[in-house]
Amino acid sequence: MDEEKEKKVVFVWDMDETLILLKSLITGTYTKAFNGSKDVQKGIEIGKTWENQILRICDDYFFYEQIEGCNKPFVDSTREYDDGLDLTDYDFANDAFVGAAFDDDANKKKLAYRHRIIAHKYKKGLRSLFGEKMIKSWDNLYEVTDDFTDKWLSSAKACVAQCAGDSGAENINVIVTSGSLIPSLVKCLLFRLDDLISYDNVYSSWEVGKYQCFSLIKERFDGPNVQFCAIGDGWEECEAAENMQWPFVQIDPVPVSSSHRFPGLNLETLGHYIGVIYGGDSDDEDE
């Protein structure tokens, strides 16, 4: 039906323990839930390897040491302070940027410059920053992690791709993570989500909370034929979705659970949740 085909869905994803598994690997909670069938120490080592790589890239390539105390809900939140200066020869190491110590316009402009470079690097991808040897090591780590988690990473990515490619409309995938912004962008790059989720669709609720981020997303994308669906593992996004009157799909990495997990969750299932809240024939969602 043409009217149905025109509908656009904004899928609002949590990141950690939803699209990727990281914290639960580091703490061992993911592996222990399998009651001895998975190697807890191996899971911890995999998680810590990812953590070290994420922090190293953040510090060395994404200004994280300088701007860690200046977390913003999204990259373009500083755009109004960016005067468009050519940054080709700009000296970021000696521009007297003082992080969160001063919140004046001069400092905000310097933060905006950094955000512009971060957005540019995200759009160009990791291959523009690193050689083939480094890329290969991350590819290997991704495959090891995917095998260890029973294809959680690749099936989650496939679900996001399925959501984006629904034939009815150009749907939108957005991430709202409770982690800080820069590491979350780096996670998107390392976990192969950057080709599906643009830098400006990554939000951090670290300072402002999930409800405020959901409100920003609704304000940005809302329209007569727009529907929203939130997917995550935590109480905060569940509560925020309820307050927004959006459908919420609960994720739980634990193998025996009444909630959803990867592999398993797909567009058809999401469509049923959307249909319950918004009405209409949810089976059309995956046609």
XYZ file of all heavy atoms in Angstrom, residues 2-72:
587
model
N 0.604 2.164 -0.901
C 1.470 3.333 -1.074
C 1.609 4.139 0.188
O 2.692 4.593 0.546
C 0.935 4.231 -2.201
C 1.105 3.558 -3.558
O 1.930 2.616 -3.638
O 0.416 3.962 -4.519
N 0.493 4.315 0.907
C 0.553 5.126 2.122
C 1.480 4.495 3.149
O 2.246 5.158 3.826
C -0.861 5.300 2.685
C -0.903 6.274 3.852
C -2.307 6.519 4.358
O -3.265 6.347 3.576
O -2.439 6.882 5.533
N 1.405 3.136 3.240
C 2.276 2.438 4.185
C 3.736 2.571 3.754
O 4.625 2.725 4.566
C 1.878 0.961 4.265
C 0.654 0.694 5.116
C 0.901 1.033 6.572
O 1.961 0.682 7.119
O 0.029 1.677 7.159
N 3.960 2.487 2.433
C 5.327 2.526 1.928
C 6.007 3.857 2.226
O 7.219 3.942 2.287
C 5.338 2.291 0.406
C 4.860 0.911 -0.025
C 5.802 -0.182 0.409
C 5.379 -1.528 -0.143
N 6.221 -2.618 0.349
N 5.219 4.911 2.377
C 5.787 6.233 2.614
C 6.236 6.427 4.063
O 6.929 7.383 4.367
C 4.762 7.319 2.252
C 4.483 7.401 0.750
C 3.347 8.352 0.435
O 2.812 8.963 1.383
O 2.990 8.481 -0.753
N 5.851 5.522 4.933
C 6.220 5.687 6.337
C 7.709 5.480 6.532
O 8.324 4.602 5.937
C 5.421 4.725 7.216
C 3.934 5.082 7.289
C 3.314 4.545 8.536
C 1.841 4.943 8.644
N 1.674 6.396 8.719
N 8.286 6.311 7.379
C 9.707 6.216 7.711
C 9.838 5.859 9.184
O 9.147 6.422 10.018
C 10.400 7.556 7.428
C 11.874 7.592 7.800
C 12.465 8.986 7.615
C 12.552 9.351 6.156
N 13.247 10.645 5.964
N 10.730 4.927 9.480
C 10.956 4.529 10.869
C 12.359 4.959 11.284
O 13.336 4.710 10.570
C 10.802 3.011 11.075
C 11.025 2.655 12.546
C 9.432 2.538 10.618
N 12.435 5.620 12.425
C 13.718 5.954 13.029
C 13.994 4.918 14.107
O 13.300 4.871 15.128
C 13.717 7.379 13.628
C 15.083 7.697 14.248
C 13.363 8.411 12.564
N 14.976 4.059 13.863
C 15.359 3.041 14.835
C 16.438 3.615 15.751
O 17.505 4.023 15.285
C 15.879 1.787 14.121
C 14.829 1.075 13.310
C 14.701 1.295 11.950
C 13.953 0.193 13.924
C 13.733 0.647 11.201
C 12.972 -0.469 13.195
C 12.862 -0.245 11.825
N 16.132 3.666 17.035
C 17.022 4.281 18.024
C 17.664 3.160 18.844
O 17.039 2.560 19.715
C 16.249 5.262 18.934
C 17.206 5.952 19.911
C 15.504 6.301 18.088
N 18.930 2.887 18.533
C 19.638 1.750 19.115
C 20.511 2.168 20.291
O 21.199 3.184 20.229
C 20.558 1.114 18.078
C 19.884 0.577 16.856
C 19.604 1.254 15.706
C 19.420 -0.769 16.650
N 18.998 0.429 14.802
C 18.869 -0.823 15.354
C 19.433 -1.912 17.453
C 18.327 -1.993 14.829
C 18.890 -3.079 16.928
C 18.345 -3.115 15.633
N 20.513 1.367 21.340
C 21.573 1.435 22.334
C 22.802 0.770 21.708
O 22.678 0.006 20.753
C 21.136 0.704 23.600
C 22.171 0.772 24.710
O 22.855 1.803 24.825
O 22.303 -0.223 25.445
N 23.991 1.051 22.230
C 25.183 0.447 21.655
C 25.680 -0.738 22.482
O 25.575 -1.889 22.070
C 26.310 1.482 21.495
C 27.585 0.861 20.929
S 28.916 2.052 20.644
C 28.418 2.714 19.073
N 26.222 -0.466 23.666
C 26.843 -1.519 24.472
C 25.812 -2.507 24.991
O 24.765 -2.116 25.516
C 27.623 -0.903 25.636
C 28.823 -0.113 25.144
O 29.787 -0.742 24.687
O 28.774 1.126 25.194
N 26.114 -3.766 24.836
C 25.255 -4.892 25.208
C 23.977 -4.935 24.377
O 23.013 -5.601 24.734
C 24.910 -4.877 26.714
C 26.085 -4.598 27.626
C 27.343 -5.391 27.271
O 27.243 -6.613 27.085
O 28.417 -4.770 27.164
N 23.988 -4.217 23.253
C 22.883 -4.282 22.297
C 23.466 -4.548 20.909
O 23.410 -5.665 20.415
C 22.043 -2.998 22.320
O 21.451 -2.845 23.619
C 20.916 -3.055 21.290
N 24.051 -3.543 20.284
C 24.686 -3.752 18.985
C 26.059 -4.406 19.113
O 26.509 -5.103 18.204
C 24.821 -2.424 18.233
C 23.508 -1.803 17.750
C 23.781 -0.476 17.052
C 22.757 -2.755 16.821
N 26.738 -4.152 20.212
C 28.025 -4.795 20.462
C 28.029 -5.376 21.880
O 27.216 -4.978 22.721
C 29.208 -3.811 20.297
C 29.212 -2.767 21.415
C 29.171 -3.128 18.939
C 30.460 -1.899 21.453
N 28.921 -6.299 22.111
C 29.169 -6.811 23.460
C 30.571 -6.398 23.852
O 31.529 -6.703 23.148
C 29.041 -8.331 23.501
C 27.665 -8.906 23.168
C 27.711 -10.424 23.166
C 26.607 -8.408 24.140
N 30.704 -5.688 24.966
C 32.023 -5.250 25.417
C 32.127 -5.316 26.939
O 32.911 -6.091 27.488
C 32.333 -3.832 24.915
C 33.727 -3.311 25.223
C 34.805 -4.216 24.647
C 33.902 -1.891 24.701
N 31.307 -4.523 27.618
C 31.380 -4.492 29.081
C 31.139 -5.872 29.684
O 31.840 -6.293 30.614
C 30.363 -3.491 29.635
C 30.439 -3.339 31.156
C 29.442 -2.314 31.670
C 29.521 -2.201 33.192
N 28.514 -1.246 33.730
N 30.165 -6.599 29.139
C 29.842 -7.913 29.703
C 30.934 -8.936 29.419
O 31.056 -9.936 30.130
C 28.492 -8.415 29.173
O 28.530 -8.585 27.771
N 31.736 -8.692 28.371
C 32.907 -9.543 28.140
C 33.992 -9.225 29.160
O 34.597 -10.116 29.747
C 33.444 -9.326 26.721
C 32.630 -9.904 25.564
C 33.245 -9.501 24.242
C 32.533 -11.427 25.655
N 34.233 -7.923 29.379
C 35.284 -7.496 30.304
C 34.992 -7.959 31.728
O 35.885 -8.419 32.446
C 35.443 -5.960 30.258
C 35.974 -5.526 28.884
C 36.391 -5.472 31.358
C 35.937 -4.026 28.645
N 33.747 -7.859 32.151
C 33.383 -8.257 33.520
C 33.183 -9.770 33.661
O 33.158 -10.292 34.774
C 32.089 -7.555 33.965
O 31.016 -7.971 33.100
C 32.241 -6.048 33.920
N 33.014 -10.453 32.520
C 32.780 -11.887 32.554
C 31.327 -12.286 32.692
O 30.997 -13.480 32.664
N 30.418 -11.308 32.824
C 29.004 -11.647 33.042
C 28.384 -12.347 31.828
O 27.546 -13.231 31.978
C 28.181 -10.388 33.387
O 28.371 -9.400 32.352
C 28.609 -9.803 34.716
N 28.807 -11.959 30.630
C 28.289 -12.607 29.422
C 28.674 -14.089 29.417
O 27.830 -14.972 29.253
C 28.824 -11.919 28.165
C 28.529 -12.685 26.887
C 27.266 -12.630 26.305
C 29.505 -13.483 26.289
C 26.984 -13.341 25.151
C 29.228 -14.205 25.136
C 27.971 -14.135 24.569
O 27.686 -14.855 23.422
N 29.952 -14.357 29.622
C 30.455 -15.727 29.510
C 29.946 -16.615 30.636
O 29.594 -17.778 30.413
C 31.997 -15.714 29.512
O 32.455 -14.569 28.789
C 32.550 -16.945 28.859
N 29.883 -16.081 31.845
C 29.441 -16.874 32.994
C 27.997 -17.335 32.844
O 27.608 -18.375 33.392
C 29.598 -16.061 34.279
C 31.056 -15.864 34.708
C 31.177 -14.892 35.881
C 32.642 -14.614 36.221
N 32.776 -13.569 37.260
N 27.202 -16.582 32.096
C 25.797 -16.940 31.903
C 25.641 -18.238 31.110
O 24.558 -18.828 31.094
C 25.056 -15.809 31.195
N 26.716 -18.697 30.459
C 26.657 -19.934 29.684
C 27.033 -21.164 30.518
O 27.176 -22.268 29.983
C 27.568 -19.824 28.455
C 27.011 -18.922 27.386
C 27.163 -17.544 27.466
C 26.313 -19.440 26.305
C 26.645 -16.707 26.486
C 25.785 -18.615 25.323
C 25.946 -17.246 25.416
N 27.223 -20.958 31.819
C 27.404 -22.065 32.772
C 28.512 -23.037 32.378
O 28.325 -24.264 32.371
C 26.088 -22.828 32.958
C 25.005 -21.970 33.580
O 25.270 -21.209 34.506
N 23.793 -22.074 33.057
N 29.668 -22.474 32.021
C 30.838 -23.305 31.780
C 31.087 -23.694 30.340
O 32.145 -24.256 30.019
N 30.150 -23.416 29.441
C 30.350 -23.803 28.038
C 31.205 -22.801 27.265
O 31.600 -23.064 26.136
C 29.000 -23.980 27.336
O 28.293 -22.758 27.281
N 31.481 -21.645 27.857
C 32.377 -20.667 27.243
C 33.502 -20.339 28.219
O 33.307 -20.346 29.439
C 31.630 -19.384 26.861
C 30.698 -19.544 25.649
C 30.096 -18.210 25.249
C 29.133 -18.357 24.081
N 29.800 -18.713 22.825
N 34.663 -20.029 27.663
C 35.866 -19.731 28.447
C 35.797 -18.296 28.970
O 35.923 -17.346 28.193
C 37.095 -19.935 27.562
C 38.411 -19.764 28.321
O 38.421 -19.088 29.362
O 39.426 -20.297 27.845
N 35.584 -18.161 30.274
C 35.417 -16.831 30.873
C 36.669 -15.980 30.655
O 36.575 -14.811 30.281
C 35.113 -16.940 32.385
C 35.071 -15.550 33.026
C 33.784 -17.655 32.609
N 37.847 -16.538 30.875
C 39.088 -15.778 30.744
C 39.306 -15.315 29.316
O 39.763 -14.195 29.080
C 40.290 -16.622 31.218
C 41.580 -15.825 31.359
C 41.449 -14.620 32.282
O 40.811 -14.701 33.333
N 42.034 -13.491 31.891
N 38.965 -16.159 28.361
C 39.108 -15.752 26.951
C 38.199 -14.568 26.642
O 38.594 -13.626 25.955
C 38.780 -16.914 26.021
C 38.955 -16.565 24.541
C 38.641 -17.733 23.624
C 38.803 -17.321 22.159
N 38.474 -18.435 21.230
N 36.985 -14.609 27.177
C 36.057 -13.495 26.965
C 36.586 -12.202 27.559
O 36.485 -11.136 26.946
N 37.159 -12.292 28.758
C 37.735 -11.109 29.406
C 38.892 -10.564 28.586
O 39.007 -9.341 28.376
C 38.201 -11.459 30.837
C 36.993 -11.756 31.724
C 39.031 -10.319 31.432
C 37.343 -12.330 33.094
N 39.749 -11.442 28.072
C 40.894 -11.009 27.257
C 40.437 -10.339 25.966
O 40.995 -9.316 25.559
C 41.784 -12.215 26.949
C 42.569 -12.722 28.159
C 43.270 -14.043 27.897
O 43.217 -14.525 26.734
O 43.871 -14.598 28.842
N 39.409 -10.895 25.344
C 38.861 -10.280 24.125
C 38.332 -8.881 24.436
O 38.624 -7.910 23.727
C 37.736 -11.158 23.531
C 38.314 -12.444 22.934
C 36.949 -10.386 22.467
C 37.251 -13.457 22.524
N 37.554 -8.763 25.511
C 36.984 -7.469 25.887
C 38.046 -6.435 26.203
O 37.958 -5.279 25.764
N 39.070 -6.835 26.943
C 40.131 -5.891 27.312
C 40.973 -5.491 26.108
O 41.463 -4.348 26.041
C 40.999 -6.501 28.413
C 40.303 -6.522 29.770
C 41.224 -6.952 30.899
C 40.535 -6.804 32.247
N 41.394 -7.235 33.380
N 41.140 -6.395 25.162
C 41.853 -6.041 23.930
C 41.097 -4.955 23.173
O 41.683 -3.968 22.717
C 42.037 -7.282 23.034
O 42.756 -8.282 23.756
C 42.818 -6.928 21.778
N 39.788 -5.123 23.046
C 38.970 -4.085 22.411
C 39.082 -2.760 23.170
O 39.257 -1.701 22.570
C 37.497 -4.508 22.383
C 37.114 -5.408 21.263
C 36.625 -6.679 21.367
C 37.147 -5.115 19.865
N 36.361 -7.202 20.129
C 36.670 -6.259 19.180
C 37.532 -4.012 19.123
C 36.565 -6.326 17.795
C 37.426 -4.059 17.731
C 36.952 -5.203 17.081
N 38.967 -2.821 24.485
C 39.019 -1.611 25.314
C 40.321 -0.858 25.100
O 40.320 0.372 24.917
C 38.853 -1.985 26.782
C 38.778 -0.792 27.727
C 38.584 -1.223 29.161
O 39.343 -2.098 29.645
O 37.672 -0.675 29.826
N 41.432 -1.577 25.077
C 42.741 -0.934 24.875
C 42.840 -0.297 23.499
O 43.374 0.809 23.353
C 43.861 -1.963 25.066
C 44.009 -2.402 26.512
O 43.632 -1.677 27.429
N 44.535 -3.597 26.737
N 42.329 -0.986 22.486
C 42.378 -0.446 21.127
C 41.514 0.811 21.004
O 41.917 1.798 20.376
C 41.915 -1.507 20.115
C 42.833 -2.702 19.976
C 44.207 -2.322 19.466
O 44.350 -1.510 18.560
N 45.248 -2.890 20.062
N 40.335 0.769 21.593
C 39.420 1.918 21.537
C 40.060 3.145 22.176
O 40.064 4.237 21.582
C 38.084 1.573 22.232
C 37.311 0.541 21.414
C 37.230 2.830 22.445
C 36.214 -0.178 22.190
N 40.612 2.989 23.372
C 41.210 4.127 24.075
C 42.439 4.659 23.354
O 42.666 5.881 23.301
C 41.559 3.727 25.511
C 40.352 3.468 26.427
C 40.805 2.955 27.783
C 39.514 4.742 26.597
N 43.232 3.770 22.759
C 44.434 4.214 22.046
C 44.059 5.051 20.826
O 44.642 6.119 20.586
C 45.264 3.003 21.610
C 46.597 3.372 20.961
C 47.405 2.148 20.630
N 46.837 1.394 19.541
C 47.011 1.702 18.241
N 47.720 2.769 17.894
N 46.466 0.961 17.309
N 43.075 4.604 20.079
C 42.639 5.356 18.893
C 42.014 6.682 19.308
O 42.251 7.722 18.687
C 41.652 4.517 18.060
C 42.361 3.278 17.513
C 41.086 5.339 16.907
C 41.419 2.272 16.880
N 41.211 6.651 20.376
C 40.597 7.897 20.881
C 41.664 8.950 21.208
O 41.544 10.117 20.816
C 39.779 7.606 22.134
S 38.210 6.790 21.859
N 42.681 8.530 21.942
C 43.721 9.463 22.386
C 44.622 9.915 21.237
O 44.956 11.100 21.123
C 44.580 8.822 23.484
C 43.844 8.716 24.810
O 42.830 9.405 24.986
O 44.293 7.929 25.667
N 45.010 8.994 20.379
C 46.011 9.295 19.354
C 45.437 9.959 18.113
O 46.159 10.681 17.413
C 46.735 8.010 18.931
C 47.588 7.426 20.052
O 47.754 8.121 21.081
O 48.052 6.278 19.912
N 44.154 9.747 17.829
C 43.604 10.227 16.560
C 42.337 11.071 16.700
O 41.927 11.717 15.745
C 43.310 9.039 15.632
C 44.554 8.301 15.217
C 45.048 7.239 15.972
C 45.275 8.686 14.083
C 46.206 6.567 15.604
C 46.427 8.017 13.707
C 46.888 6.965 14.473
O 48.042 6.308 14.110
N 41.697 11.056 17.879
C 40.413 11.745 18.028
C 40.395 12.723 19.211
O 39.329 13.006 19.761
C 39.270 10.718 18.155
C 38.951 10.015 16.864
C 39.702 8.930 16.442
C 37.916 10.448 16.053
C 39.429 8.282 15.247
C 37.622 9.812 14.855
C 38.388 8.722 14.449
N 41.570 13.212 19.587
C 41.695 14.300 20.577
C 41.121 13.954 21.954
O 40.822 14.852 22.740
C 40.999 15.580 20.088
C 41.422 16.069 18.750
C 40.581 15.969 17.651
C 42.674 16.643 18.563
C 40.962 16.439 16.412
C 43.067 17.111 17.323
C 42.212 17.009 16.233
N 40.965 12.671 22.267
C 40.227 12.333 23.482
C 40.908 12.818 24.758
O 40.231 13.265 25.692
C 39.985 10.827 23.552
C 38.983 10.417 24.604
C 37.724 11.023 24.667
C 39.279 9.419 25.529
C 36.792 10.643 25.628
C 38.352 9.035 26.490
C 37.120 9.652 26.543
O 36.199 9.288 27.498
N 42.219 12.765 24.797
C 42.928 13.268 25.982
C 42.614 14.733 26.225
O 42.488 15.180 27.364
C 44.437 13.079 25.815
C 44.957 11.773 26.380
C 46.462 11.725 26.406
O 47.086 11.923 25.352
O 47.026 11.485 27.494
N 42.478 15.501 25.141
C 42.200 16.935 25.258
C 40.738 17.224 25.594
O 40.459 18.160 26.340
C 42.556 17.643 23.945
C 44.029 17.656 23.599
C 44.295 18.449 22.332
O 43.381 18.788 21.579
N 45.558 18.767 22.089
N 39.821 16.450 25.048
C 38.407 16.840 25.138
C 37.559 15.876 25.971
O 36.322 15.982 25.973
C 37.779 17.008 23.729
C 37.709 15.660 22.999
C 38.571 18.008 22.913
C 37.014 15.766 21.643
N 38.193 14.991 26.708
C 37.447 14.011 27.506
C 36.457 14.686 28.453
O 35.353 14.198 28.678
C 38.417 13.133 28.302
C 37.732 12.042 29.097
C 38.710 11.134 29.829
O 39.932 11.362 29.728
O 38.242 10.202 30.505
N 36.841 15.837 29.002
C 35.960 16.540 29.938
C 34.935 17.435 29.272
O 34.196 18.156 29.952
N 34.876 17.399 27.938
C 33.959 18.278 27.189
C 32.925 17.460 26.430
O 32.618 17.757 25.272
C 34.736 19.131 26.193
S 36.089 20.074 26.880
N 32.409 16.417 27.041
C 31.493 15.535 26.327
C 30.230 16.278 25.900
O 29.615 16.998 26.679
C 31.102 14.343 27.201
C 30.388 13.272 26.411
O 30.983 12.631 25.551
N 29.100 13.094 26.672
N 29.866 16.107 24.639
C 28.653 16.702 24.075
C 27.717 15.590 23.636
O 28.134 14.470 23.368
C 29.001 17.589 22.879
C 29.915 18.764 23.218
C 29.245 19.739 24.169
C 30.158 20.904 24.526
N 29.537 21.811 25.507
